[in-house]
Amino acid sequence: MTPPRAVSAAFLAFLFMILFSDTAAEIAREDFPTTLRLERAIPRRGVEIEHLKARDLARDLARRKNGRRLSVVGVVDFPVDGSANPFTVGLYFTRVKLGNPAKEFYVQIDTGSDILWVACSPCDGCPTSSGLNIRMEFFDPEKSSTASKITCGDDRCTSALQTGESICTTSESSSSLCDYTFQYGDGSGTSGYYVADMLYFDTITGDEQAINSSATIVFGCSNTQSGDLTKADRAVDGIFGFGQHDLSVVSQLSSLGVSPKVFSHCLKGSDNGGGILVLGQIAEPGIVYTPLVPSQPHYNLNLESIAVNGQTLAIDSSVFATSTTQGTIIDSGTTLAYLADQAYDPFVNAIVSSVPKSASAFVSKGNQCFVTSDSADSVFPSVTLTFMGGAVMLLKPEDYLLQQGNVDNAIIWCIGWQKNQGQGISILGDLVLKDKIFVYDLANQRIGWSDYDCSSSVNVTMSSGKNEYLNAGQLDVSGSSHTASRFIFVLVHIVYILTFLLHR
């Protein structure tokens, strides 16, 4: 028979082994820096503002859902590359894996459209190389064992017909391919047909597990491209539409039970760019929300006023009212920012009036510019956008200015916001969206934002109403308090058992 003290020592060693093996595994998971951000240095190259003005504008696409329902709702993570700097990249993009065997595609992150589409083989006008140092790919549904082409007789095509996102005609048979043609504001366009195939992604669930997941989704197979989409300087494989209609990936994965109907991004404003993009709700202090304008094809917000240096501009509120020809749109697919015609001149005049005479003002190619040797924050005023419900977006000078170059020891700054000539639409593009958390809460029809260092990690809630958070910088649910509590619990029981054995 083993003596009591020997029993206690062996039992104690056993308990410590259980405690530390389990707890150490959790600590290792918490400390291991598995980031969600993909960052890549991009070669610098110059681009005329006029070219960006011609290229930018809101994109308007589509609808519909399909696929099998999954049993778990979690946060879906996508890597982010690119930057808001129009003189380096001027767009943000991510990677998606499609088909079987899976192929990886680089696609622009675009909240101004709804459809995910990639270049397909064969393709007329599609670039085969990119100045962004990425490898271009082509999707071939004939070489994917899980791909199926959507036909005109498919319910998903019928739904797309109702919203103008399909061009099937009554003369075509039900077995004809469900085609589409998308035109963008810069005159570029793409056409092709819809396919259904596997999308692969990483899902983080409420039990702290990272799962390699997949789901069947519908996306566009582009076989013709035109305009700027054909240019190789900043070419990508396609566009990832994050709109709220049924055919967007956000809506499709939500309807399948894969992820909540909310997505968030935090786009780094530095030249190296990158950031965070998740299907889930970033939950950080200070996020303010304003309701979405209902029944709109884009993410329209009710902008109520603009203030420069705390002084509200004398702009009639009707200028910001939402209609088919007016309104304010949040669009990550636009590089710069555009103000409605009647709001632009009061805005620029207020900036000019607020800048001290030490900064020389001049106009270059229609853009208001300044030369100063002082820091931007000390020279230029702050700008405040106020939205419905009192939600305020405070903008720093770097949110409306572009650094155009240097003269001796002075910097040339130009106003990067452009006049939407003859139009009542205002578009807040990457110049404004960078260095901020943005939450698109589609389930509750609202958008929220907060200033943030997008190189830092964030907490992401799994679903509305739960207190489970994901550290998006470390791919882990916040479990430090849970781990500590369990450590204390087991330690107390060790002391209790040891005391009992020693006093038998």
Side-chain angles (χ1 to χ4, degrees):
M1 182 176 180
T2 308
R5 287 182 185 271
V7 170
S8 64
F11 193 67
L12 178 62
F14 175 71
L15 287 176
F16 266 94
M17 181 182 70
I18 294 175
L19 169 65
F20 286 106
S21 63
D22 195 28
T23 305
E26 276 201 42
I27 293 173
R29 285 199 302 270
E30 291 172 357
D31 292 341
F32 187 76
T34 309
T35 65
L36 296 189
R37 290 172 292 280
L38 171 66
E39 300 175 2
R40 181 181 293 107
I42 307 294
R44 294 184 65 87
R45 57 181 60 82
V47 179
E48 291 288 338
I49 288 183
E50 285 69 26
H51 174 76
L52 293 168
K53 290 165 64 175
R55 190 192 75 187
D56 278 337
L57 261 187
R59 310 174 190 276
D60 184 10
L61 311 179
R63 286 185 183 266
R64 199 59 188 167
K65 56 192 175 185
N66 182 42
R68 60 189 179 88
R69 176 168 294 277
L70 303 182
S71 60
V72 63
V73 174
V75 172
V76 176
D77 160 54
F78 294 97
V80 177
D81 201 353
S83 82
N85 189 335
F87 305 112
T88 56
V89 185
L91 59 87
Y92 291 90
F93 54 96
T94 186
R95 294 172 292 153
V96 294
K97 291 182 179 180
L98 299 167
N100 186 21
K103 294 183 71 174
E104 194 169 70
F105 299 88
Y106 291 87
V107 287
Q108 183 179 0
I109 300 166
D110 183 17
T111 62
S113 63
D114 298 301
I115 302 298
L116 166 64
W117 64 262
V118 296
C120 280
S121 179
C123 185
D124 181 19
C126 295
T128 57
S129 63
S130 174
L132 300 179
N133 292 337
I134 61 176
R135 178 181 175 180
M136 304 294 287
E137 290 284 0
F138 291 87
F139 181 79
D140 188 346
E142 303 298 333
K143 294 182 179 180
S144 173
S145 63
T146 49
S148 61
K149 299 177 180 179
I150 305 299
T151 63
C152 290
D154 192 295
D155 288 343
R156 292 162 292 185
C157 186
T158 303
S159 176
L161 274 171
Q162 296 173 354
T163 56
E165 293 144 1
S166 168
I167 54 175
C168 285
T169 63
T170 54
S171 62
E172 292 179 305
S173 68
S174 61
S175 60
S176 299
L177 291 181
C178 185
D179 295 329
Y180 64 81
T181 294
F182 303 139
Q183 295 294 323
Y184 298 100
D186 61 355
S188 64
T190 178
S191 61
Y193 55 91
Y194 291 109
V195 298
D197 207 344
M198 302 301 295
L199 169 71
Y200 302 89
F201 47 88
D202 293 329
T203 302
I204 314 301
T205 62
D207 59 359
E208 310 182 18
Q209 298 298 309
I211 301 173
N212 294 325
S213 305
S214 64
T216 299
I217 65 161
V218 175
F219 58 93
C221 194
S222 171
N223 51 29
T224 302
Q225 293 180 26
S226 62
D228 279 359
L229 289 175
T230 67
K231 296 179 179 179
D233 62 340
R234 57 191 67 210
V236 288
D237 295 316
I239 291 178
F240 196 160
F242 277 84
Q244 56 184 321
H245 295 302
D246 290 350
L247 263 190
S248 74
V249 171
V250 177
S251 296
Q252 291 189 69
L253 293 185
S254 174
S255 68
L256 296 175
V258 175
S259 60
K261 199 167 186 179
V262 54
F263 71 95
S264 310
H265 61 65
C266 194
L267 307 174
K268 289 173 61 177
S270 65
D271 285 351
N272 289 336
I276 297 168
L277 173 64
V278 293
L279 304 190
Q281 182 171 348
I282 292 179
E284 292 290 341
I287 295 179
V288 297
Y289 286 89
T290 189
L292 282 165
V293 181
S295 305
Q296 296 298 313
H298 304 290
Y299 291 119
N300 282 76
L301 301 181
N302 287 300
L303 177 62
E304 294 182 339
S305 65
I306 301 175
V308 175
N309 255 358
Q311 299 296 312
T312 301
L313 303 183
I315 302 172
D316 193 296
S317 59
S318 64
V319 172
F320 301 124
T322 301
S323 69
T324 55
T325 58
Q326 289 189 175
T328 302
I329 297 169
I330 302 290
D331 182 13
S332 69
T334 294
T335 302
L336 304 177
Y338 296 78
L339 272 184
D341 195 337
Q342 297 181 51
Y344 187 77
D345 287 340
F347 171 74
V348 172
N349 292 338
I351 299 293
V352 173
S353 299
S354 300
V355 173
K357 296 186 182 302
S358 59
S360 301
F362 66 98
V363 176
S364 173
K365 297 181 179 180
N367 298 292
Q368 181 63 56
C369 300
F370 308 86
V371 178
T372 179
S373 57
D374 297 323
S375 68
D377 289 338
S378 65
V379 172
F380 298 98
S382 63
V383 172
T384 303
L385 308 181
T386 301
F387 296 85
M388 178 178 284
V392 171
M393 187 182 297
L394 182 62
L395 304 181
K396 303 180 293 293
E398 290 82 358
D399 295 330
Y400 63 83
L401 294 173
L402 291 175
Q403 184 175 335
Q404 290 285 83
N406 300 279
V407 176
D408 296 328
N409 294 322
I411 297 175
I412 300 174
W413 294 96
C414 294
I415 294 179
W417 290 24
Q418 305 299 308
K419 176 186 286 190
N420 207 349
Q421 193 72 44
Q423 301 291 322
I425 300 291
S426 296
I427 305 171
L428 304 183
D430 295 336
L431 183 61
V432 176
L433 305 185
K434 62 182 173 59
D435 299 320
K436 300 175 184 65
I437 290 171
F438 270 85
V439 178
Y440 300 74
D441 185 358
L442 306 186
N444 295 302
Q445 286 294 286
R446 61 179 187 166
I447 286 183
W449 59 82
S450 176
D451 287 344
Y452 203 75
D453 177 1
C454 297
S455 63
S456 303
S457 61
V458 295
N459 289 324
V460 182
T461 182
M462 299 295 179
S463 59
S464 185
K466 291 187 178 181
N467 292 322
E468 298 171 325
Y469 295 97
L470 167 73
N471 184 316
Q474 297 179 345
L475 275 177
D476 187 26
V477 177
S478 295
S480 56
S481 60
H482 168 71
T483 303
S485 298
R486 188 171 64 190
F487 183 96
I488 294 171
F489 175 82
V490 177
L491 188 59
V492 167
H493 279 70
I494 289 174
V495 174
Y496 175 81
I497 294 170
L498 182 59
T499 303
F500 173 78
L501 291 173
L502 290 176
H503 291 82
R504 286 178 61 180

